[in-house]
Amino acid sequence: MTDRRDEIEAALENVRSRIATACRAAGRSIDTVRLIAVTKTFPVDDAALLTDLGVTDLGENREQEAGPKADELRKLRPDAPVRWHMLGRLQRNKARSVARWAAEVQSVDSDRLVDALDKAVRNARDAGDRAEPLDVLIQVSIDGDPDRGGAPLGTLAPLAERVVRTGELRLRGLMAVAPLTMTPGEAFGRLLAAAERLREDHPRATEISAGMTGDLESAIACGSTCVRVGTALLGTRGLASP
Ligand SMILES: *Cc1c(COP(=O)(O)O)cnc(C)c1O
């Protein structure tokens, strides 16, 4: 039987080479795209192996799973330089826990969530539970379907304004998942246009988080600066998981 570490190492090499090929094709430097390894539904041991292999950015989409996993990883690998990213839909009542473990939340999509995160981060810093402000990406709903999370394109400007007016959140850019109703190229093209508009008002909001196992090449061609990869690194998740 193959050792799990070897398995993940080979998968990681393959993903890095896909990213490199896509960057070359787009005439971009490879260090303009960061990789978030999405560990949702996989055990903390896999996250630990990823950090052993040099991965520093880990992503989760459910607070209930991510908080305990981040705690366990800190015990297993106290010296690993890990940044956790919250990628999934977040309820306001989870803001307090997210503020303990997340370096970045990529799924911010409402004023109420902005306010809740700002307050939670301030409390966490006052209590000595975190040092840094929280990096924030606004999740965009490219097709405007409110059921799957994300703010409609037309609401981005006021939402971005709200983020920059807080004391504890840093606006870094936009995130999206390509909807099934259009091609990834079409979807990521719209995201890129929105990101360029956002950058006119907020020059430091340069991140475009787009691209997963199935569509990372297309996302990189459309300017993605951050791909979020689960399946291609750790394998297929069970049917029950999102
Ligand atoms: C699960 C998830 C991913 C990773 O998807 P894969 O297809 O397994 O690479 C990326 N982004 C978000 C928001 C996710 O929930």
Side-chain angles (χ1 to χ4, degrees):
M1 221 183 78
T2 333
D3 182 54
R4 182 66 171 154
R5 187 186 198 279
D6 294 344
E7 211 168 80
I8 295 178
E9 186 171 28
L12 180 61
E13 227 167 85
N14 183 256
V15 168
R16 289 207 192 285
S17 121
R18 281 179 63 187
I19 295 172
T21 305
C23 283
R24 217 173 300 122
R28 301 180 51 190
S29 153
I30 181 169
D31 55 20
T32 61
V33 179
R34 59 184 171 136
L35 168 67
I36 296 182
V38 182
T39 50
K40 66 186 184 198
T41 78
F42 288 95
V44 66
D45 305 86
D46 282 355
L49 289 172
L50 282 162
T51 67
D52 296 345
L53 293 164
V55 172
T56 53
D57 291 277
L58 300 175
E60 287 280 329
N61 76 335
R62 287 178 57 241
E63 203 288 321
Q64 301 90 310
E65 177 183 355
K69 203 179 283 183
D71 286 341
E72 284 173 54
L73 183 63
R74 206 172 308 116
K75 283 179 213 142
L76 287 176
R77 298 289 188 276
D79 298 324
V82 177
R83 298 188 83 234
W84 283 99
H85 303 264
M86 174 63 183
L87 308 175
R89 219 158 190 197
L90 183 57
Q91 278 159 353
R92 279 177 303 147
N93 61 8
K94 296 291 191 316
R96 240 180 76 190
S97 356
V98 166
R100 281 194 319 107
W101 58 265
E104 177 171 276
V105 174
Q106 296 205 344
S107 43
V108 170
D109 62 359
S110 73
D111 284 351
R112 281 152 42 119
L113 183 55
V114 169
D115 296 348
L117 284 170
D118 184 43
K119 184 171 163 213
V121 172
R122 193 174 335 113
N123 288 340
R125 293 178 84 182
D126 287 349
D129 288 338
R130 76 176 287 138
E132 293 291 311
L134 181 72
D135 286 335
V136 157
L137 304 196
I138 296 177
Q139 181 179 355
V140 183
S141 167
I142 293 173
D143 61 357
D145 176 356
D147 286 347
R148 289 195 336 252
L153 284 165
T155 65
L156 293 186
L159 191 50
E161 216 35 64
R162 187 130 183 155
V163 173
V164 298
R165 289 220 190 97
T166 64
E168 308 289 339
L169 311 184
R170 282 191 296 232
L171 180 67
R172 301 294 315 279
L174 301 180
M175 181 272 256
V177 179
L180 298 170
T181 48
M182 56 185 94
T183 65
E186 221 177 312
F188 296 140
R190 289 191 200 183
L191 180 65
L192 176 61
E196 283 169 347
R197 277 196 301 277
L198 180 77
R199 209 150 39 186
E200 287 170 16
D201 294 332
H202 307 284
R204 278 179 300 187
T206 53
E207 292 282 349
I208 302 176
S209 174
M212 327 199 301
T213 292
D215 55 17
L216 70 89
E217 282 84 1
S218 158
I220 290 172
C222 292
S224 169
T225 63
C226 172
V227 294
R228 314 174 305 266
V229 180
T231 308
L233 289 173
L234 298 177
T236 313
R237 295 178 292 272
L239 274 184
S241 65

